[in-house]
Structures are given as structure tokens and as C-alpha cells.
Amino acid sequence: MSSFSYRPLCLALLTLAPDAALPARAAFTLTVDANAPGKPISPDLVGVFFEDINYSADGGLYAELIQNRSFEYSPLARREWTNLTAWELAPRGGRGELDVDGAFPLHPNNPHYAVLSVREAGEVALVNEGFDGIALRAREDYHLSFFARRLYAGGRWDGQKSSAPLPLVARLETREGALLAEATFAIAEDSWTKLSAVLTPNADTPAARLVLIARERGGLALDDISLFPAKTFRDRPNGLRADLAQAIADLRPRFIRFPGGCLVHGDGIPNFYRWQDTIGPVEQRRQQANLWGYHQTVGLGYFEYFQFCEDIGARPLPVVPAGVSCQNSGHTGGTGQQCLPLAEMDTYIQDVLDLIEWANGPATSTWGAKRAAAGHPAPFGLKYLGVGNEDHITPGFRERFELIQRAIQARHPEIVVIGTVGPAPDGEDFDRGWRIADELRVPMVDEHYYKAPGWFWDNLARYDGYDRSRAKVYVGEYAAHDDKRRSTLRAALAEAAHLTALERNGDVVSLASYAPLLAKRGHTQWSPDLIYFDNTNVYPTLSYEVQRLFGNNAVATILPSTLRDAPTDLAFSTARDSTGDLILKLVNGASAPRPLRIELTGFTRTSAPATLAVLANPDANVANEDARPPAAAIRTETISVSPAFEHELPAHSLTILRIPHTP
Ligand code: AHR
């Protein structure tokens, strides 16, 4: 049996006598010093971690509907992939060819394009299947755009070349070939020209195709063929899928960490995620393989990430490589870390400093001007910057991390650098990472843990004893991994219990984010995840509901409280939010309901209304199933509370009690 006590001794005098008339059903009494000034905690504690894993970006949050739009897929990402993956040539009466060329690209960063030739007049179609089909809604607008160049018209080698424009028809069709929408173009230019049209399908379809039809003899170069819903999140051009972005916004995250994870330090040095490659016109961004086995168009790039953060009131938390690649690079099982040559470190460090200028510099600065040119003259207000992710803490890592960290500290002391302490909550990398943090005075370190639900309950006191003079902690990746890696209520409640412990220690734990955030059905490489989705639906897990409840009940100060002889399967935090509301979070991990006596010392109102939000199910093994009602519903109700009252916590439940502040 343990006993949590957060009450400074001097505050004990404020305790009011409990209401002696209450029935003595409850075996446990939670005493909260409701009048104490409380311990201020991080205002940014609960956020999210977005990594491009499980098709989270292309085919996921990024609203682009065309797969391999710029013909840059390659076997480097997946052995069977080519530049024409997701595309096919469909002769429809004509005779033609589909090739890939690179002689006169749109941009050196976008070296390949398609060549569609019609040899014998008659329809020849270039078809894109989207990401598992293109989901369309009737009567909604879709923006089609592409770059095209007329290569020749008429016969190519028979002296019948003409200067006439070549017609091209763009159609949205069902898989069976029914027409949903159509636009006609005439390709007249011999140099790359952007063409666009709005297509409005006449019927809903979960899996349409884009069909580009040439019908006259000649050749066309085509690149960056794009189809976006007009309705993106906040109507941003090149924007995000509205329903998925809204699901993230509903969590009310205080920050978003991006773009990874292992994706950041990449599969070898050439695969580092380089932020500068992800800004500017999309057709000029440098795409590359994703170490999770697919492709990154980086259409969802740094500008879009920062814009999304701003749109939902979250702080951006980008992570850059620490000058070393993932230790698992090249499938080496932990021994494949590559270190950037020291001779290249100055240039690399400058890239990192440029990121800070791009985010925060005035629009007149070199990099601030690029941000302004993209449509955001005001600085983004970058505060946190991760350097490294779960790196193997080797001498090579240390040397490079130190160079980066010192340069940032010298030039930008306002930036909070977040160092890394390996992939686990203990062990060699963890200890070495912390040692480096101590020696270099790193302001914050990133701890990760994927553990069984029991581990979370057993470690509720993990941060109680952390030395407050050392680095602050960012719990950058955590999730309770239950049997078969299902997102059970048991796992969700273990995470909720853990979050109460993080709140109580929010003076040393500054940030926390569940991982991973998103996973597409049929492309899930890692389980569990917070939110599943397909092309038309979003499927939140019970862990999502926990994060949502915490995000919507964020607190500012922790109030002293005591629960004598607290059972190990009961967790709690007692706090006020920034408006002064009193918020109690209570997690009952037991399979039986638990009556609790709650004493609010210093609470002078004889009775007050309070709102309750309860997530519960007597069976901890339940998990949400796609398109079914939640396995554990969130019940909300208003109750009346007094300076001392009893409240029963349901079996396997998270209860959030909010008592509004009255001035
Ligand atoms: O969250 C999935 C992966 O887990 C991350 O990419 C990595 O940092 C960790 O190992």
C-alpha cells in the first residue's frame, strides 16, 4: 500500500473539519487543499506526436488524393515500386504508350515525369488509383491541377508534326467507369505550364479514379498531377484532410511534435529528414523514401506543419537529426548508426540555425523572407526544438549533439533544446543521454516508453523523486501496450493514471505525447495507435478519449492532496486550471466500483454544481471497433458537491470532476 502526499506541512492548518454527518461507506478519503496557491506546472503538458508512419502523411493527413503524383516513387522505398506505381495506361480505342522521362524536368528536385503518347488516334488514358481509391463526395468541389508540356503533335517521325494544341480530358470515374465529373484542356505550350480546373462529382463514391485521356496523335509530358478537396482543414491550400485534422484539434494539444520519430534521423545519412527540402512550391520539394517503407512527397512539409500548429493553437515542436542516422539504418539491428563527417557539421549546424530564423526571424531576414513568401510574414513563435531521436548514445553522437546544442545556445538562448536519452526508460543509452544532458546543461530531454499497462501503474511515482535541478523531461513517446497490442480500456486507463502522475510532476515533466498518433487501415505498421482511419472515416481509440479528456481539462496548478493508504490501482491528480476551476482526475483501475470520500478543505460553499465526465466499462478488455459505438462511453452529468462528499468511481474508469470557479 502506498500513500501519496503533496501537502506542505504549513498548509495543514487550513484543513476544515470534515462533515461528520456523512455515511462512512468509503474506505478511502481524498483530502484536497482547495485553498492552497498550488504548484504551477507546465502550460504545455499534453500534446501530440505526429510521425509519418502507417501512411499518416501521404494518403492520410495530407489531403492530396493522387498517389505518386510526381512520378518519384522508387524501389528505394519499396522493392516493387517504380516511377509509375499507382498509374496505369489504359488504351480506350487508341494506341499509345506511357513512359517515364527525366531529360527536361520541372525542377531538379522533381526529376521524373510521365510521357503519354498517342500513336494512333483514339482514346488513350492515364489512370491513377489514388491511395486505395479516391473517396469523393457528391456536389463538393475538387481542385485538379497538373503541369504539362506538349512534346509534339501529329506523327512524331513521319514529317506530319503540327503546332496544334493537344486536347486532354480529365475525368473522375467510378471503378466501373461511370463518369462523375469532367474537364477539358488544350495543351498548347512546349514548356511546362500549370493547368487547373474544378471538378464536382455528381455522386458519392468511396473509390474513384482519375483518368486523363489523350485522343490525338502526339506526345504530352505530365507532372505533379494533383487533386485536392476544396474543403481542407481551415480551407488551407495544399492543406490537410478536414476530418482527421479536426480529430487532432479536438484533443486540444498544447504542442505538436513532428515529423518523427525514426523518420527524422532516417535510414542512413542521405535519408535524414532535411527541413529545407520540405518548403517552397510543392513541385520543387525534394522527395525521398520513408524509412517506414513507403514514400514522402513532403507536400506536408514544414510550412504546413507550422501552419497547422498555429491553426489549432498548439506550439510547434520540430525535431532535427543530431548529425547521426538511425542505429537501425540498413536493417542492421542497432549497429548501423552513421555519423555525418565532422567537416560537414558547420553546414549542417547552419541548416539548423536557418530553421530557427525561418520560423522566428523577421520577414526581412533571409529565411524569414521565405516564410513570408509562403504567406506567413509573422513569425511562428518557435520555442521548442528537438535534436535527435532515440539515438544510440555513442561518442560520435555526443560530439555532434554537443556542436549543435552549443551553437543553438550561443545564437538562440531563447530556444529550448530537447535532447534524447535513447529508446527506453532506463538502460545504457538512457543513462548516457542523461549524463550528457547534465554535462551540457541541456534544458530538456526526451524519454520514451512503450510498456505493458502494469508498468505504468507500477511507475506512478517515477517522477516524484526526479531532481528538479536537472533537465526538464519531455515524455515524447509513450503508450501502454496491452496483450496483442490492442487499444483496450485497460491500456487507456494505464495511460490516464500515468497522465495524472505527469500532471502532479508537471514542474519537472514539461511535455508529454502519446505515440504514434495516426494509422491507416491496411497500412498499419505499428500498433497500437491513437487514431485509425481509412479514406472516409476516422476511428478514435479509447486511448484517444483519454487524451481528449486530459487535453480539454488541462490544469495550471497542482493542489496539495492526500490519499492515505492509497491502493496501487487508484491514481489521481488535484488541480486548478488557468481560470481557477477546481479539477479532480481520478482513475480506478479496479474491477469493482470504489466509493471515495472527497474532502475539499478551504472550500467554503456548502454546495456547488460540478460537471462529471466518466469513461468506464466494467470489462477492461474492451476496445473500440471501427464504425461501432465506443466500447466505453463517455458519460457527462452535473452533480452537486460540498466541502465533504462521497462519490463512487465506477469499475475500470477515468472520472474528471470539474468544479467551476466562482469569484
Ligand atoms: O512511434 C514509433 C517509433 O517508435 C518512433 O519512430 C521511434 O522514435 C520509436 O522507436
Side-chain angles (χ1 to χ4, degrees):
M1 292 294 192
S2 64
S3 165
F4 297 129
S5 183
Y6 313 110
R7 174 199 294 271
L9 272 182
C10 59
L11 292 171
L13 293 174
L14 294 173
T15 308
L16 291 182
D19 183 351
L22 279 171
R25 248 177 8 108
F28 301 101
T29 300
L30 173 65
T31 308
V32 186
D33 194 338
N35 247 357
K39 171 176 76 174
I41 66 161
S42 165
D44 300 326
L45 183 62
V46 182
V48 295
F49 162 46
F50 177 90
E51 173 163 29
D52 186 3
I53 182 173
N54 307 316
Y55 274 61
S56 295
D58 296 301
L61 185 60
Y62 185 48
E64 175 62 81
L65 293 167
I66 302 300
Q67 187 174 185
N68 190 16
R69 67 179 172 197
S70 42
F71 306 95
E72 299 302 334
Y73 271 27
S74 102
L76 286 178
R78 198 173 288 181
R79 197 171 299 152
E80 67 274 18
W81 276 3
T82 71
N83 298 90
L84 290 174
T85 293
W87 294 96
E88 67 170 336
L89 180 71
R92 294 185 171 189
R95 190 169 66 80
E97 281 150 27
L98 176 62
D99 297 300
V100 177
D101 203 350
F104 301 101
L106 193 51
H107 189 273
N109 285 344
N110 185 0
H112 302 100
Y113 51 89
V115 171
L116 180 64
S117 318
V118 179
R119 295 279 180 220
E120 277 171 24
E123 291 194 347
V124 173
L126 175 61
V127 182
N128 188 271
E129 65 188 28
F131 295 91
D132 306 329
I134 300 173
L136 298 172
R137 283 179 176 278
R139 292 174 297 286
E140 291 194 359
D141 289 345
Y142 292 83
H143 294 296
L144 172 73
S145 66
F146 58 94
F147 286 83
R149 203 152 58 76
R150 201 193 61 141
L151 296 173
Y152 62 97
R156 194 169 185 175
W157 314 114
D158 57 10
Q160 296 173 15
K161 277 172 49 180
S162 109
S163 57
L166 284 174
L168 186 75
V169 177
R171 294 164 59 122
L172 292 171
E173 293 181 355
T174 64
R175 278 223 164 107
E176 296 72 36
L179 178 65
L180 297 161
E182 185 178 78
T184 304
F185 302 89
I187 316 299
E189 304 297 328
D190 297 339
S191 57
W192 286 111
T193 306
K194 188 168 185 177
L195 296 114
S196 57
V198 174
L199 296 173
T200 311
N202 54 22
D204 281 347
T205 174
R209 311 185 313 162
L210 174 70
V211 183
L212 299 175
I213 302 169
R215 53 168 64 106
E216 285 184 17
R217 289 213 299 163
L220 285 174
L222 298 163
D223 204 358
D224 227 55
I225 303 169
S226 167
L227 183 74
F228 264 89
K231 279 190 192 163
T232 56
F233 186 67
R234 303 276 161 95
D235 298 325
R236 298 278 175 208
N238 192 45
L240 307 183
R241 198 176 124 173
D243 56 349
L244 269 179
Q246 188 59 52
I248 298 170
D250 289 346
L251 292 166
R252 294 193 57 198
R254 299 310 191 267
F255 66 89
I256 304 179
R257 173 184 173 216
F258 55 85
C262 292
L263 180 91
V264 168
H265 55 182
D267 191 13
I269 290 170
N271 193 233
F272 276 3
Y273 189 99
R274 305 257 186 179
W275 75 272
Q276 320 91 304
D277 292 338
T278 75
I279 60 166
V282 288
E283 69 279 6
Q284 298 180 12
R285 299 182 186 179
R286 201 178 67 81
Q287 309 179 35
Q288 64 169 340
N290 179 325
L291 97 171
W292 293 107
Y294 55 106
H295 182 83
Q296 312 177 64
T297 64
V298 294
L300 170 51
Y302 262 44
F303 184 83
E304 291 74 24
Y305 282 124
F306 275 75
Q307 183 66 74
F308 182 43
C309 290
E310 187 173 270
D311 282 346
I312 67 171
R315 285 187 181 279
L317 196 171
V319 184
V320 295
V324 300
S325 74
C326 181
Q327 53 271 25
N328 298 312
S329 299
H331 306 282
T332 46
T335 58
Q337 183 182 80
Q338 298 170 359
C339 297
L340 201 61
L342 286 173
E344 292 175 33
M345 280 305 290
D346 282 351
T347 311
Y348 181 71
I349 289 167
Q350 190 55 51
D351 288 349
V352 177
L353 298 175
D354 290 345
L355 167 60
I356 299 169
E357 183 176 289
W358 176 84
N360 289 354
T364 48
S365 61
T366 309
W367 286 92
K370 293 184 197 289
R371 182 195 66 237
H376 201 287
F380 274 123
L382 177 69
K383 173 179 174 187
Y384 301 114
L385 178 60
V387 178
N389 171 70
E390 287 195 1
D391 294 296
H392 190 22
I393 311 292
T394 58
F397 163 86
R398 192 211 145 99
E399 193 169 13
R400 284 154 187 81
F401 177 85
E402 182 170 354
L403 289 170
I404 302 167
Q405 140 89 359
R406 287 201 191 288
I408 298 172
Q409 256 177 357
R411 289 280 300 281
H412 293 286
E414 74 283 5
I415 295 291
V416 178
V417 170
I418 305 175
T420 177
V421 294
D426 45 35
E428 228 171 63
D429 286 329
F430 183 84
D431 294 340
R432 288 192 190 139
W434 264 103
R435 220 171 296 136
I436 291 174
D438 287 342
E439 286 165 16
L440 303 181
R441 309 288 308 156
V442 179
M444 201 182 287
V445 298
D446 179 11
E447 295 190 354
H448 293 180
Y449 27 87
Y450 298 97
K451 294 283 188 183
W455 183 92
F456 285 86
W457 284 99
D458 291 346
N459 281 274
L460 289 179
R462 176 178 173 90
Y463 296 107
D464 294 356
Y466 262 47
D467 179 346
R468 268 57 183 165
S469 68
R470 296 175 83 190
K472 303 270 189 227
V473 175
Y474 168 30
V475 184
E477 294 181 28
Y478 71 91
H481 283 185
D482 207 346
D483 276 355
K484 304 198 177 100
R485 297 245 194 149
R486 289 169 65 239
S487 300
T488 58
L489 179 61
R490 186 183 302 103
L493 293 179
E495 290 147 9
H498 182 61
L499 278 165
T500 64
L502 299 187
E503 282 188 345
R504 290 192 288 94
N505 286 285
D507 55 328
V508 66
V509 180
S510 299
L511 310 165
S513 46
Y514 180 100
L517 180 61
L518 296 180
K520 188 167 193 174
R521 287 293 182 211
H523 301 276
T524 297
Q525 302 147 309
W526 179 290
S527 297
D529 305 280
L530 203 61
I531 304 170
Y532 293 87
F533 64 94
D534 57 26
N535 281 347
T536 45
N537 291 296
V538 177
Y539 308 115
T541 58
L542 294 173
S543 294
Y544 172 89
E545 300 303 347
V546 164
Q547 296 289 326
R548 193 166 67 81
L549 284 168
F550 274 79
N552 283 276
N553 291 284
V555 295
T557 50
I558 296 297
L559 297 176
S561 54
T562 319
L563 182 59
R564 287 216 191 286
D565 298 325
T568 50
D569 52 6
L570 181 60
F572 63 94
S573 68
T574 55
R576 283 193 188 278
D577 74 0
S578 55
T579 69
D581 285 4
L582 185 56
I583 298 179
L584 310 186
K585 298 193 177 93
L586 304 150
V587 186
N588 181 17
S591 50
R594 184 168 266 147
L596 191 67
R597 180 176 166 83
I598 298 173
E599 295 180 1
L600 306 174
T601 62
F603 187 76
T604 49
R605 284 177 284 161
T606 46
S607 88
T611 56
L612 263 186
V614 185
L615 176 77
N617 188 311
D619 181 1
N621 213 28
V622 295
N624 281 355
E625 285 175 32
D626 295 358
R628 301 285 302 276
I634 298 178
R635 185 170 54 79
T636 52
E637 66 177 286
T638 303
I639 61 166
S640 178
V641 298
S642 58
F645 61 101
E646 283 210 0
H647 182 76
E648 186 172 275
L649 306 177
H652 299 304
S653 63
L654 161 64
T655 299
I656 299 189
L657 180 71
R658 178 185 280 265
I659 306 170
H661 173 65
T662 47

